Amino acid sequence: MSVLTLTAQEEVSAPPRVVFGLFGAGAGAGWVFDALCDRVAPGAAVTLRAPLDPDSAPVEILGRIGAVAPGRLIEIVHDQPWRGRTVLRFSAHGTGTRVRLQSELDQLGLEWLLRRRGHVVRNAPCENPALGLLTSKSGPGNLFAAASDNMAALALEEINADGGLRGRPVDLLIGDDATDPATGAREARRLAAAGCRTILVATTSATFVAVSRAMADADVLLVQTLMNEGGLAGGLRIQLGERPADQLAAAAGPMMQAAGGRRWFLAGNDYCWPRGTHAAARDVLPRLGGRLVGERLTPLGTSDFAGIIEAVERSGADLLLSTFVGADAAAFQRQCHDRGLHQRCLTLAPAMDESTLARIGPEATAGLHTVSGYVESLDTEGNSTLLSRYRARFGRWAPPVSTLSESVFEGVQMWFAAAVRAGTDEPHAVARAMHDVRVELPRGTVTLDGNGVVGQRIHVAEAVGTDLRVVTSS
């Protein structure tokens, strides 16, 4: 596959050693592509905004530093919004510095960029069975989706290596909802038109709702893989993942004991999953002895959380239930740390994952906990072998695996097993075969009953730097 190279450059009125030394410190301040990272060293997570699209906003690239030549070069290995390599070169330019950016663009990246510009790029109809994946390669949700297409690709590569479905390889087609429900609906229709009879939806619940409505008359199975509030399962709709009531029931007791208090403040993004989680909290927490002392919601894409943090401080909360997601969750947690909020109360963030922790940084995760069916450090044989295969396939700088991305791997596996049982990839037959099952997966035993209710073990985990360590399991 041929690779194109996109270029951009910035000029800064400071010498190269100064510009290089401050790289990553100025997200939002216009300093060297708005790059953000905690240290300039191989393995460090980095985000930057590259002006690769002259007709719209800069492209946000998420990756890890792969190589450094002090004062001269930084190489970034990235998976979002496409898999590739971006190199920054620093050189003297008069009395200042010229920073030249070169970004590799493969065929999938080119198609993504063309769609971002509003061009219609249709996939040719697939000759083989096709599985769709709708994820968030851009927008605020791009952090939690960092490893999702990697996990889907890994699962299908292993399935195809074993002979595929009925002797034919299964093709993977990927759509980007840009963390926007309307965009997600358009992308889902594109995937269906290309031949995807099942689409795994690994996005916000707002997108899943929009896609479900937009595809109401389509003969396509939609499987929501990651945590969600439920309520849409049935027929050609299957919702896997953790449910808020189960997560809160597992975490409330240990969290209140660790905090030495029972006062909860609820804060998150204003869309259906946070609202559903807050509704579950208003039911579950008082029954377990908790007391609610405040609640705030703010739109996706918010960057300034000062008002919410002040409200938490005024409330005297012992515990904060954070239902922010992706980039919003990272920014909120960093600002909480800057205000010293972790010294006053502990935070439970059910959607917090390892990819987002890497963007928060090891210092700012103090006091942060999550609750989910999977964490990367989970000590099971299935998880250990999965991580070994993942690193062997995608390299040491690939984004970490989390419950949000690992669920995509499991969604592919469950879809394939159902298609084998049904003897076809016809959506209704596959949907029926996915129910009343008990499967052994990297996270452990998962069940899906006839009513679409998921059963799995739930873990409360504490952030230790940018890792999650299991504290207790239910």
Side-chain angles (χ1 to χ4, degrees):
M1 182 181 292
S2 61
V3 176
L4 301 176
T5 300
L6 300 179
T7 63
Q9 68 181 34
E10 288 188 358
E11 294 180 3
V12 184
S13 58
R17 60 180 179 82
V18 173
V19 176
F20 187 94
L22 292 176
F23 177 82
W31 185 266
V32 188
F33 302 113
D34 285 345
L36 176 64
C37 63
D38 290 317
R39 57 193 175 89
V40 180
V46 60
T47 302
L48 59 84
R49 295 178 177 89
L52 301 176
D53 186 350
D55 297 325
S56 61
V59 175
E60 187 168 73
I61 293 175
L62 275 66
R64 289 183 179 264
I65 295 177
V68 175
R72 296 187 294 110
L73 178 145
I74 299 174
E75 176 197 66
I76 299 170
V77 180
H78 53 86
D79 290 84
Q80 295 285 60
W82 64 82
R83 194 175 300 133
R85 190 175 71 110
T86 293
V87 176
L88 295 147
R89 290 181 170 84
F90 300 74
S91 60
H93 180 66
T95 59
T97 301
R98 174 176 290 163
V99 185
R100 184 175 177 82
L101 178 149
Q102 293 181 304
S103 185
E104 295 176 349
L105 189 70
D106 61 10
Q107 181 65 32
L108 295 177
L110 176 61
E111 292 176 1
W112 176 87
L113 191 61
L114 290 173
R115 291 192 186 99
R116 184 180 192 262
R117 292 179 176 179
H119 298 290
V120 177
V121 181
R122 293 188 176 92
N123 295 91
C126 295
E127 298 180 0
N128 297 314
L131 180 65
L133 171 65
L134 184 61
T135 185
S136 299
K137 300 184 76 62
S138 56
N142 61 358
L143 288 185
F144 69 69
S148 294
D149 51 341
N150 285 353
M151 296 304 290
L154 178 64
L156 280 180
E157 286 171 6
E158 294 178 349
I159 287 169
N160 290 336
D162 287 337
L165 183 62
R166 303 188 307 279
R168 298 170 63 193
V170 180
D171 294 333
L172 175 65
L173 300 182
I174 298 174
D176 173 25
D177 80 332
T179 325
D180 173 69
T183 302
R186 290 195 299 271
E187 284 287 88
R189 287 193 290 268
R190 177 179 66 82
L191 295 176
C196 296
R197 308 182 79 182
T198 295
I199 299 174
L200 305 183
V201 184
T203 65
T204 66
S205 290
T207 289
F208 184 76
V209 170
V211 169
S212 186
R213 291 172 178 168
M215 306 285 285
D217 297 329
D219 195 27
V220 174
L221 172 60
L222 302 178
V223 181
Q224 188 174 19
T225 59
L226 46 78
M227 61 182 67
N228 61 83
E229 65 277 25
L232 292 178
L236 292 178
R237 305 291 182 267
I238 293 176
Q239 292 177 286
L240 305 175
E242 304 90 335
R243 297 291 188 271
D246 296 332
Q247 292 172 282
L248 292 169
M255 289 296 298
M256 289 189 289
Q257 184 177 7
R262 297 177 175 273
R263 294 168 295 184
W264 290 80
F265 193 103
L266 319 181
N269 288 124
D270 190 8
Y271 75 95
C272 46
W273 178 78
R275 290 195 296 267
T277 302
H278 289 193
R282 289 190 290 271
D283 175 50
V284 172
L285 295 179
R287 287 195 285 108
L288 297 177
R291 176 187 167 202
L292 304 182
V293 296
E295 180 178 9
R296 289 287 185 89
L297 292 171
T298 190
L300 274 166
T302 297
S303 58
D304 184 356
F305 299 95
I308 293 178
I309 295 171
E310 290 170 1
V312 176
E313 293 171 336
R314 289 195 303 270
S315 74
D318 306 300
L319 297 126
L320 171 63
L321 177 64
S322 171
T323 55
F324 297 103
V325 298
D328 289 22
F332 177 72
Q333 184 61 31
R334 290 176 75 99
Q335 291 175 37
C336 285
H337 178 262
D338 291 342
R339 291 285 292 264
L341 193 62
H342 65 285
Q343 298 173 354
R344 302 179 181 89
C345 65
L346 298 181
T347 297
L348 174 65
M352 183 59 62
D353 72 317
E354 289 85 344
S355 290
T356 307
L357 286 177
R359 308 292 155 170
I360 295 172
E363 300 298 327
T365 61
L368 183 59
H369 295 70
T370 190
V371 54
S372 62
Y374 175 90
V375 294
E376 192 176 49
S377 62
L378 197 62
D379 186 16
T380 68
E381 182 177 351
N383 186 47
S384 177
T385 58
L386 171 65
L387 295 178
S388 294
R389 300 196 308 269
Y390 176 73
R391 292 296 166 195
R393 171 63 179 84
F394 297 107
R396 62 186 303 200
W397 304 134
V401 179
S402 73
T403 189
L404 303 174
S405 55
E406 189 267 353
S407 65
V408 172
F409 179 89
E410 296 184 346
V412 175
Q413 295 283 0
M414 293 178 71
W415 166 82
F416 177 71
V420 170
R421 284 195 297 273
T424 176
D425 64 345
E426 193 278 323
H428 293 275
V430 172
R432 289 191 295 270
M434 285 187 73
H435 287 86
D436 285 323
V437 294
R438 176 187 180 93
V439 291
E440 297 301 323
L441 298 168
R443 69 177 61 202
T445 303
V446 176
T447 61
L448 184 67
D449 70 14
N451 296 316
V453 177
V454 178
Q456 62 180 305
R457 200 173 191 190
I458 301 292
H459 310 281
V460 179
E462 179 181 9
V464 180
T466 56
D467 296 325
L468 289 173
R469 307 288 173 81
V470 173
V471 174
T472 184
S473 303
S474 64

